[in-house]
Each structure stands twice: as structure tokens, then as C-alpha cells.
Amino acid sequence: MEKPETKMMSKKSTILVIDDEETMRDACQQVLSKNGYDTETSADGADGLRKVRELTPDLVLVDLKMPGISGMEVLEKIGKIDSTIISIVITGYATIESAVEAMKRGAYDFLPKPFTPDELRIIIKRGLERRKLALESISLRQEKERIEKNFISMVSHEMRRPLIDVQEYLEVVLRGITGQLAPQQKEMLEKAGGQINTLLVLIKDWLDMSRIEAGTILRNLEPLDLSQILNKMVDLLRGKIKRKKITLEVNIPPHLPLIKGEKLSIERVFTNLIHNAIDYNREEGKILVKAKEGGEYVIIEVSDTGIGIPKKDVAFIFGEFFRVKNRKTQHIAGSGLGLSIVKKVVEAHGGSIEVRSEEGKGSTFTVFLPKFTPFREDSLTGLTGTNKGSPG
Ligand code: ADP
């Protein structure tokens, strides 16, 4: 369907009458012009469709029985040119079947001949109301999309940039480049830096949520090798793991079946889970990252020996902005969006996530992602050859 033009109805409405009977065209034109509408006429379907393209009328009256292109075909074509144009069928042989058929092909209503000027006026008024609503709804949707897009880009550029600048200034001052700091000054500036970092994480998470909600994360799907991704994510976080003196065990077979996914989002799933396994772990704890094949899925487990999640909170941890609040978690920074992003991304990829946790002992997050089976995927059949570990 072509994009409908968002013509609002402040001007006079334009009505096109397509009918091979001259008397009918003239009669309609007279009634409609008298009521203040701009009225055009066509004697056959081909000329009518040309005028529809040229004038984008608000409403078209179409005779069903015409020589040349049939009224039914004209109806269908009008819908394809602009689905917001209202078509009303006029015909001399009004039967239920032809009315139903006309509606199926996109007609808004049906007016059997002969009809009175009043009947014509009423049906036209209703049709134009309907068109007005359709145009208003398109214009509201466009406005909403525009505001959302502007807002997202405003948040990502205008809010992040100054925060990053502040972070860099703090860094310079903290390094003593601008002069020696008293211990208390240093402590306060470090706290300020920590808060800015929390805000930056929140903005990043929020932007990810907006991307997921706008449905853009599934635009760049490609076959992905999870063993590569998991090893990369683990490597990126090795420094943080070491600083907390955590022992890391990785058990990822080199030839896992491929999955189909958006690389950045899938990477985000595992950084979030591993970050949590570090943040909510104890000093000198353990993390195990494990992957295997299981039925239709590739199954990935991230386990830790950390503080665990209280039973009463487990049901909520995948909700937006939810954070467990207790003595053990109060000094751990976070937005409460990480796991909801994980869940949304995993589910958008046709997978699921489960958690097992015991307070004081640790947690295991298990992610199931469907294997990529190329022979079932029309759009990616050309990539079959890259599937090293195909389940067959
Ligand atoms: P954040 O970590 O930013 O607070 P998340 O959405 O990632 O947000 O997690 C939500 C909450 O679930 C966390 O605040 C924490 O209380 C709990 N949680 C998540 N992962 C773990 C884990 N591995 N061990 C213990 N608690 C966890």
C-alpha cells in the first residue's frame, strides 16, 4: 500500500463520482456541490482511477456495473492507492451478495439506486467523518513517532554527552592534575563520579528499552555463534572478575549450533547476566558460564555463589526498575532494568529465561535460545554453509 497522504480536512472535501450513467453523475454532482463539496466525475473506471491518483479525493462514489474495468476492481485499486480514501458503492442491482463482496474489497458502505438526495447526503457525511478520523489517527501516530524519535536522540546525545564531560573533568581533578586533594575532597568527588556513572548506566539501559519497545532490535538478524559471543563477553569482564577475586569457570563447547539473532542485543543479554553474577557475588566467590545443546535450543547457564534472591522477590526481578532492597544490596549500583532487557531480548528471539536462586548461596540464570535451522528459514537460506555445528 502506498503511504497515505496526511491531508487534513480544513479545506472543502473532494468527492469523485465514477458512474457510466450521465444522469446519475449530474444528479450527484448537483446535490453534492450544493452542499459545499468539490465534486468531480468520471464516466468509467480507468478515468476514475486516474483522477483518484491525481486529486486524492476524500470520498469516491463507485458504480458497480460499468463497461471496462469493473466497479469491484476499481474499489480494490482505490484501496491500494490510498487506504484512507472512503469508497461508497452505488448500484442498481443491490443484492446482499454484491454488498458483501464490495465491503470485502474495501468499500465503506453501500447505496442502492434509486436514492434520495437526503440519503446521499447522510451517507456522504458519515463517510467523510470516517475519513477525518482515519487522517487524524495517522497524523497522531506520525506525531507520536516523531516525538519518540526526537526524545530518544535528545536523551542519547544531549543528556549523555554533558555527563561524560563531567566524568572526564572529575577524573582529571581526582588524578591530582589540578592540585593535591584533601582526603575528604577526594572521597566526595569519587562519590559524585559514582553517581554520574549510575546515571549513565540508567540512560544506556533506558535507551535499550526504547529500542526494544520500538521493535528495532530485530531488524539486523544474522546467524550467530554463541560460543564466540560468550567467550568474548567473558573476556571483556575478566578484569572486573579478577578485582573481586572471583574464580571463573567457563564450559562452552567450541561448536555450538548457531542461533539467529541481533548481535548487539544478544551480547547485551550475556554481559548483563555476567555483570550481575559479579556484582551480586561475594568476594572470592565463583561464577560458572556453561552452554550446551538441548532439543530445539541452545541452553546457556550463568551461575554464581553470591547473595541469592529472596524467595518473595524472585517473581519480580524481570520487571522494569525492580531491585531487591536489603542490607546486602544497598551498596550495589544498578538501574533495575538489566534483567527486564534480558528477558525482552530473549523473548523477542523466540527464547525464554529461568532463574533458580537460594538466598545466601547463589543464583543460576538459564537462557534458552532457539537453534537456527536454515532449511526452515526462507530469508536466510543463503547462509546455510556457515552453520558449522548444525543440528542437521
Ligand atoms: P540491577 O542489577 O541494575 O539492579 P537487574 O534488572 O539486572 O537490575 O536486576 C534486578 C534485581 O535482581 C537486582 O537489583 C538484584 O537485586 C537482583 N539480581 C539480579 N541478578 C542477581 C544475581 N545474580 N544474584 C542476586 N541477585 C540478583
Side-chain angles (χ1 to χ4, degrees):
M1 188 192 81
E2 278 175 35
K3 203 166 171 256
E5 189 192 334
T6 45
K7 163 176 149 188
M8 295 311 286
M9 310 241 307
S10 49
K11 294 191 288 131
K12 268 181 168 182
S13 302
T14 307
I15 295 170
L16 174 66
V17 184
I18 313 177
D19 198 316
D20 59 327
E21 260 182 71
E22 198 181 346
T23 46
M24 181 52 76
R25 290 198 303 273
D26 290 348
C28 289
Q29 190 164 34
Q30 243 186 18
V31 174
L32 298 173
S33 303
K34 231 194 237 167
N35 279 267
Y37 301 119
D38 272 339
T39 316
E40 293 282 333
T41 59
S42 282
D44 59 69
D47 183 63
L49 288 172
R50 189 180 54 75
K51 285 199 172 140
V52 168
R53 283 195 193 89
E54 235 169 57
L55 306 168
T56 323
D58 297 293
L59 189 147
V60 187
L61 285 168
V62 186
D63 181 20
L64 272 193
K65 203 173 164 221
M66 287 185 293
I69 310 178
S70 76
M72 293 292 184
E73 222 180 310
V74 172
L75 278 180
E76 238 170 45
K77 290 200 166 135
I78 294 174
K80 282 188 186 140
I81 294 169
D82 181 342
S83 63
T84 65
I85 295 178
I86 303 292
S87 302
I88 293 173
V89 161
I90 41 174
T91 182
Y93 62 104
T95 61
I96 293 288
E97 292 93 88
S98 52
V100 170
E101 184 59 24
M103 299 294 205
K104 274 193 205 153
R105 308 239 185 158
Y108 165 69
D109 212 338
F110 194 83
L111 188 60
K113 286 184 201 171
F115 48 83
T116 65
D118 268 348
E119 282 168 340
L120 179 64
R121 273 193 290 268
I122 289 168
I123 205 166
I124 294 279
K125 197 162 166 244
R126 255 207 339 253
L128 288 174
E129 278 298 319
R130 166 66 175 260
R131 160 115 165 125
K132 190 171 161 220
L133 285 177
L135 291 181
E136 276 172 3
S137 114
I138 289 173
S139 133
L140 283 175
R141 202 183 60 225
Q142 285 171 341
E143 179 65 6
K144 185 172 167 267
E145 278 168 11
R146 199 185 55 77
I147 291 172
E148 271 171 10
K149 228 166 112 192
N150 284 350
F151 192 61
I152 291 175
S153 90
M154 193 273 281
V155 170
S156 53
H157 299 113
E158 266 109 286
M159 274 172 83
R160 278 182 82 212
R161 194 61 253 171
L163 286 173
I164 290 168
D165 288 347
V166 173
Q167 212 177 30
E168 281 168 5
Y169 287 130
L170 281 176
E171 189 81 353
V172 170
V173 177
L174 276 167
R175 268 200 251 131
I177 295 168
T178 54
Q180 202 65 25
L181 290 175
Q184 212 184 357
Q185 286 172 322
K186 195 167 175 232
E187 192 190 322
M188 282 193 170
L189 289 180
E190 272 166 358
K191 277 188 183 156
Q195 293 294 57
I196 287 180
N197 206 33
T198 307
L199 204 48
L200 280 167
V201 170
L202 181 66
I203 292 173
K204 187 172 184 302
D205 286 351
W206 186 82
L207 283 172
D208 275 0
M209 284 299 277
S210 315
R211 271 182 74 227
I212 296 169
E213 260 141 39
T216 54
I217 61 153
L218 293 183
R219 288 213 186 125
N220 300 306
L221 292 179
E222 56 181 319
L224 298 174
D225 179 349
L226 276 179
S227 50
Q228 245 176 38
I229 290 184
L230 288 166
N231 281 311
K232 180 176 151 194
M233 296 301 111
V234 165
D235 280 342
L236 282 175
L237 294 169
R238 264 184 214 280
K240 190 172 172 180
I241 292 172
K242 215 169 155 191
R243 279 196 293 282
K244 209 162 165 181
K245 300 192 184 78
I246 288 170
T247 314
L248 170 71
E249 194 186 326
V250 180
N251 185 350
I252 305 166
H255 296 299
L256 276 174
L258 298 181
I259 63 148
K260 192 169 108 176
E262 204 243 13
K263 195 160 177 243
L264 287 179
S265 316
I266 293 290
E267 286 183 350
R268 187 86 154 93
V269 165
F270 296 108
T271 34
N272 280 3
L273 291 178
I274 302 169
H275 259 296
N276 282 351
I278 304 169
D279 290 343
Y280 300 100
N281 217 320
R282 57 179 162 83
E283 286 273 320
E284 301 187 9
K286 272 192 198 157
I287 293 178
L288 169 63
V289 180
K290 203 162 91 176
K292 62 179 182 196
E293 207 181 320
E296 301 273 291
Y297 296 93
V298 179
I299 304 169
I300 307 96
E301 269 183 23
V302 179
S303 314
D304 64 66
T305 56
I307 59 173
I309 302 159
K311 259 203 175 76
K312 66 174 178 45
D313 291 326
V314 173
F316 304 106
I317 56 164
F318 294 103
E320 282 167 33
F321 297 108
F322 182 83
R323 309 202 66 217
V324 174
K325 287 196 182 77
N326 57 33
R327 230 171 13 88
K328 287 184 198 147
T329 59
Q330 66 184 351
H331 296 299
I332 305 169
S335 68
L337 282 173
L339 285 180
S340 61
I341 292 173
V342 166
K343 187 166 195 276
K344 285 198 166 121
V345 170
V346 168
E347 287 177 355
H349 283 79
S352 60
I353 180 162
E354 286 172 5
V355 58
R356 274 176 287 128
S357 187
E358 200 176 325
E359 229 185 324
K361 289 219 166 143
S363 315
T364 298
F365 287 85
T366 310
V367 175
F368 298 81
L369 286 166
K371 287 180 197 169
F372 168 44
T373 39
F375 50 87
R376 281 200 223 142
E377 313 271 343
D378 294 342
S379 56
L380 284 170
T381 40
L383 294 157
T384 318
T386 62
N387 192 350
K388 288 179 278 171
S390 167

